Amino acid sequence: MNQVLPLPSLSRTTMRAAEFFAGIGLARAGLEPAGFKIVWANDFEPAKKEMYEGNFGTDHDFALGDVAEVSGANLPEDLDFAWASFPCTDLSLAGDRRGLAGKESGTFFHFTRIMAELGDNKPRVVALENVNGLATSHGGDDMAALVRELNALGYSVDVLALDGRRFVPQSRPRIFVVGSLDVPLEDPAAVSVLRPEWLQGVFQDDTLITHRAALPEPPAMLTVGLADVVESMGTRDDRWWEPERKEKFLGSLSAVQLERLNTMKDNGRVSYRTAYRRTRAGVPVWEIRADEISGCLRTARGGSSKQAVVMAGKGRIAVRWMTPVEYARLMGAPDYVLKGLRDNQILFGFGDAVVVPAVQWVAENYLAPLIRGDLSRPERMEKVAG
């Protein structure tokens, strides 16, 4: 028999939230302006906890360690919301696509286990964030399994596709999954910029309980802006590569890319591009983006994951590694506290995070209104019999 879940009343202004797989706290940075207060957080990496608390302080309970060791009894009472940016390792194109069966991405099931252990005290809204590969992993079966897990807990599920490029000059497409114990108002347009055609499979599966909440359209995609985040430094700064290293860089470019770069060099305006090191036909080469947008930042493990910044114009070309300050700016966290941290620690933390203003947009336009009842119909979700 289906059981209607009781929902806690929300009489306070601040919404109490838990942040799973918190990393360095960029989800928190986007949630707080929308009225959320993170009272509990969890992550496995001590270096990320150091960054998290160096930036946000310690006015929360931080569970450092494996999420498998966390139980519902460890969480505070009266949570309104829970966020989980669970690992993308097994869902990413850069991984081996083991999906939710993988050791790291499979930690999603510990999140739902913990929500189940909260029973009737579970938060009325949950949100998850991951790479677009989640939608296609194992032919869509992983997305269906994820939604079905949340349905079993009593949540109706919505799925959004939102690129960080709408907010910062970085190409960072991501999926946001929102589970609600309330039934949100429906968007009459099934296909939209937030729910493109390639995401429709999850909504067309009659075995799943889903909704499409009525939301405003997000900002348009940025086409420029890299120059606005580039850290200012003189031409004699030793972070610019020496001539020999620069020549090796230029020598690895294809004829088309080199011609494009020389055109930029001859321009009277200085412009910037980012570049990745790739392996083509077994040969390591550099490839420069054609636009004034950064490629997707990655965790700094191995040289191929790091981006270089290329400056060209007024008769010269210069190349260097992207700096920690630029990583922070490209993630929408220009004021994040970096003092006293190691460069690789910073690059790893930001490369493994979520774009702050993207989270803030979802929080302000969806999560907070949903929790406060502004997006909901009078009905409530019914728990799926299991």
Side-chain angles (χ1 to χ4, degrees), residues 4-81:
V4 177
L5 293 176
L7 298 180
S9 61
L10 189 67
S11 59
R12 55 186 175 273
T13 302
T14 301
M15 293 163 285
R16 290 165 54 83
E19 186 182 12
F20 288 79
F21 314 101
I24 65 172
L26 296 198
R28 173 174 177 161
L31 291 167
E32 286 185 335
F36 290 88
K37 178 177 175 58
I38 304 300
V39 295
W40 184 93
N42 150 260
D43 200 86
F44 184 74
E45 299 270 359
K48 291 180 179 178
K49 178 178 184 287
E50 178 188 3
M51 291 181 68
Y52 190 106
E53 298 196 330
N55 188 74
F56 296 104
T58 56
D59 64 338
H60 55 266
D61 180 14
F62 197 110
L64 177 64
D66 192 339
V67 69
E69 303 301 320
V70 176
S71 73
N74 301 137
L75 270 68
E77 296 181 354
D78 299 328
L79 287 173
D80 303 303
F81 174 71

Side-chain angles (χ1 to χ4, degrees), residues 282-346:
V283 179
V285 298
W286 281 94
E287 294 182 355
I288 304 174
R289 281 187 67 99
D291 55 18
E292 296 181 57
I293 299 293
S294 166
C296 186
L297 300 184
R298 301 175 186 174
T299 54
R301 284 178 173 166
S304 63
S305 67
K306 295 172 66 176
Q307 287 189 70
V309 174
V310 181
M311 179 179 70
K314 297 183 178 181
R316 67 184 300 266
I317 294 172
V319 188
R320 59 170 173 78
W321 291 118
M322 187 178 286
T323 70
V325 168
E326 289 162 347
Y327 263 66
R329 291 173 179 173
L330 284 168
M331 294 302 290
D335 299 323
Y336 198 95
V337 177
L338 303 179
K339 186 177 180 180
L341 300 173
R342 305 177 305 279
D343 280 4
N344 279 348
Q345 179 184 8
I346 296 169

Side-chain angles (χ1 to χ4, degrees), residues 243-287:
E244 182 179 354
R245 188 174 191 180
K246 185 179 74 171
E247 289 306 315
K248 287 183 178 179
F249 171 89
L250 297 175
S252 79
L253 299 177
S254 69
V256 171
Q257 290 212 343
L258 188 57
E259 181 181 1
R260 184 188 301 142
L261 183 57
N262 283 328
T263 300
M264 292 169 53
K265 170 188 173 183
D266 296 337
N267 198 301
R269 177 182 71 92
V270 172
S271 56
Y272 296 88
R273 298 290 189 273
T274 60
Y276 267 125
R277 191 162 52 195
R278 313 272 192 190
T279 299
R280 302 295 186 195
V283 179
V285 298
W286 281 94
E287 294 182 355

